[in-house]
């Protein structure tokens, strides 16, 4: 549960927000580097694109189910 709340908060702190990428943030630097590497655009499915998608809309239901499943297994193994 903590990861499902913590990861989006961390992504937001990097500068990936619902209003777009925050100026001067780590996200802005990542986007600039990705755009330079791809000839001026950010490729769909790239790390920057995925993080912005999460920052804007949060995790999809499928991602939440997958993370819950994976993290509960890790928690059970640690316990």
């Amino acid at each position: 549960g903590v990861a499902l709340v913590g990861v989006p908060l961390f992504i937001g702190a990097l500068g990936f927000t619902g209003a777009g990428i925050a100026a001067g943030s780590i996200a802005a630097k990542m986007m600039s580097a990705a755009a330079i590497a791809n000839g001026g655009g950010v490729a769909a499915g790239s790390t920057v694109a995925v993080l912005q998608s999460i920052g804007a809309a949060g995790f999809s239901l499928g991602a939440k189910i997958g993370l819950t499943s994976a993290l509960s297994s890790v928690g059970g193994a640690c316990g």
Side-chain angles (χ1 to χ4, degrees):
V2 172
L4 292 178
V5 173
V7 171
L9 288 175
F10 176 72
I11 290 171
L14 290 176
F16 296 99
T17 70
I21 292 178
S25 66
I26 293 171
K29 291 175 184 162
M30 290 174 66
M31 185 175 129
S32 175
I36 290 168
N38 289 309
V42 176
S46 68
T47 301
V48 172
V50 170
L51 289 173
Q52 180 53 38
S53 177
I54 293 169
F59 286 118
S60 67
L61 179 60
K64 287 179 184 177
I65 291 170
L67 277 174
T68 301
S69 177
L71 293 174
S72 64
S73 298
V74 171
C78 290

